[in-house]
Amino acid sequence: MRKIGILVMAFVLVFTLAACGGKSEGSGSKDQVTVKLGIFKNVTHAAGYIGLEKEFFQKQLGENVKIEVQAFDNGSDFSTAIATGQIDIGYVGPGPSTNQFLKSSNFRVISGADNGGAVLVAGKDSGVETVKDLVGKTIAIPTKGSTNEISLRLLLEQEGVPVTTDSSGAQIVARAPSDTLVALRQNEVHATLIPEPWGTQIEQEGIGKVIVPWDQIPPNNGDYPLVILVASDKFIKEHRDLAKAIVKANLEAIEFIQANPDESYELINKRLSELSGKGLDVALIKAALSHMRLTSDVSQEAIEEMARVSIEAGYIKDVTVDTLDLSKFLDLSILDEVKNGK
């Protein structure tokens, strides 16, 4: 009898351990995943703002996914962050992200978000009426190597205005948008190629006027990627389903803005206030959104043209125009699957 009792106890113990093991494994499958999403403190990232405010990201990702938002002031910092694993996915401009990709090759473009949305503005006392008047003038861009600088260089190139460090051509300097407003007032810079809503604000405050509208800014007369959605290779490999969920949410956000513009202005301003600590007049946001085209489409040709300018400007090193290969930079297979309902 004693032997039977021992055998029964052993059987119960084995069964209990097996049951506990099964329970632990099931709990592990429900462990929370954190997705680190990067975004700029700029209205041109409107799709991302709406995705967060309307919880499109959260609904697509599911309740076991936590979204950690990191806000950036410029594309260089963002691109470094995604290349070094500080963020998994997010919104950025093609200029700095292309530069970083050619160094690290460990993240990809998976969708578009916004085409266009930058304008060329001249200070009211600058004497600048056309692009050709920029010879001998100083032009501000938000950061060196930014998509805005690339557009500016293309615009100057089209009009035959050289970029120089003296008065024989146009000089380019980096200024944060808020500092640019002050510099224009004091005539320290004469013009700026700047993303909205800054251009509209400069004009409304009487500091300057738009001399090249958003739909005449190169490449493609404003129909070029200004904001794209990129994801790290590691994130795509380990969480392709989550990357697809974010692409779906991005499309939902774009469609929501197009269908509900008035509600969107308020929501965009709310998220902007949270990220930057300061909101905007809703009329400025409305004007800004009318100066861009929200879209998931991405033109590889436009990105390649901008990369050429970056190479010629010295921002991309160890690569020539002839050897430039961005075929692996764009991976729109996830976007295609979403659009095809897969």
Side-chain angles (χ1 to χ4, degrees):
M1 290 293 294
R2 186 178 177 186
K3 288 183 179 180
I4 294 173
I6 292 172
L7 287 171
V8 169
M9 288 179 65
F11 175 80
V12 170
L13 179 61
V14 170
F15 179 82
T16 302
L17 288 172
C20 289
K23 185 176 182 181
S24 175
E25 186 177 352
S27 299
S29 66
K30 294 180 180 179
D31 284 350
Q32 191 175 66
V33 176
T34 298
V35 173
K36 295 171 287 185
L37 184 145
I39 199 164
F40 284 19
K41 307 168 189 175
N42 196 294
V43 174
T44 54
H45 290 235
Y49 289 3
I50 292 298
L52 291 166
E53 288 298 318
K54 293 295 292 183
E55 297 188 346
F56 293 143
F57 292 128
Q58 193 65 69
K59 291 171 185 174
Q60 289 289 350
L61 289 168
E63 61 182 10
N64 292 321
V65 177
K66 177 184 177 183
I67 303 170
E68 182 181 292
V69 179
Q70 294 186 38
F72 293 85
D73 291 310
N74 60 72
S76 297
D77 291 345
F78 175 102
S79 299
T80 300
I82 199 163
T84 55
Q86 297 172 55
I87 55 175
D88 302 308
I89 193 166
Y91 296 88
V92 67
S97 59
T98 302
N99 299 355
Q100 180 61 55
F101 169 78
L102 290 169
K103 297 175 186 175
S104 61
S105 300
N106 62 351
F107 62 95
R108 301 285 182 271
V109 181
I110 60 173
S111 177
D114 165 49
N115 278 14
V119 295
L120 181 68
V121 186
K124 68 173 184 177
D125 299 321
S126 64
V128 175
E129 298 291 336
T130 69
V131 175
K132 291 186 182 297
D133 294 332
L134 291 171
V135 173
K137 305 294 185 180
T138 301
I139 314 160
I141 41 89
T143 53
K144 285 286 188 179
S146 64
T147 306
N148 297 128
E149 181 180 355
I150 293 167
S151 286
L152 174 60
R153 285 178 176 270
L154 278 168
L155 185 62
L156 295 170
E157 181 182 291
Q158 288 177 7
E159 296 296 322
V161 177
V163 176
T164 63
T165 56
D166 56 34
S167 60
S168 65
Q171 298 182 55
I172 299 176
V173 297
R175 293 281 189 281
S178 56
D179 295 336
T180 297
L181 268 68
V182 176
L184 282 170
R185 280 197 189 99
Q186 298 175 351
N187 213 31
E188 291 176 2
V189 300
H190 307 100
T192 178
L193 200 146
I194 198 167
E196 290 286 29
W198 297 100
T200 297
Q201 184 175 354
I202 289 168
E203 199 164 48
Q204 288 184 357
E205 293 184 11
I207 301 169
K209 63 179 180 180
V210 173
I211 60 171
V212 180
W214 78 277
D215 56 1
Q216 293 178 28
I217 297 292
N220 296 342
N221 291 322
D223 198 17
Y224 61 90
L226 185 72
V227 181
I228 51 179
L229 184 63
V230 302
S232 72
D233 289 355
K234 183 175 185 292
F235 184 70
I236 295 172
K237 182 179 179 180
E238 296 179 359
H239 301 289
R240 185 180 175 86
D241 57 331
L242 300 185
K244 184 183 287 190
I246 291 174
V247 169
K248 286 182 181 178
N250 179 60
L251 284 172
E252 278 189 280
I254 290 171
E255 290 168 2
F256 181 87
I257 296 169
Q258 293 167 341
N260 307 276
D262 290 336
E263 183 181 352
S264 297
Y265 304 145
E266 297 289 351
L267 292 172
I268 290 166
N269 200 30
K270 181 175 180 291
R271 179 59 60 163
L272 181 65
S273 299
E274 291 174 8
L275 294 177
S276 66
K278 184 179 180 182
L280 285 172
D281 188 309
V282 171
L284 273 178
I285 296 175
K286 181 178 180 179
L289 288 180
S290 70
H291 296 166
M292 61 184 77
R293 186 171 79 89
L294 299 176
T295 178
S296 61
D297 297 339
V298 186
S299 168
Q300 182 171 333
E301 293 77 11
I303 290 178
E304 287 173 345
E305 184 175 5
M306 289 187 277
R308 171 187 65 81
V309 176
S310 287
I311 291 170
E312 293 171 349
Y315 292 121
I316 296 176
K317 303 185 184 300
D318 302 322
V319 178
T320 65
V321 174
D322 293 336
T323 60
L324 177 68
D325 181 9
L326 295 178
S327 59
K328 294 181 180 179
F329 183 39
L330 281 78
D331 179 2
L332 302 181
S333 60
I334 293 175
L335 178 63
D336 290 339
E337 288 173 12
V338 170
K339 286 185 173 181
N340 292 323
K342 295 181 180 178

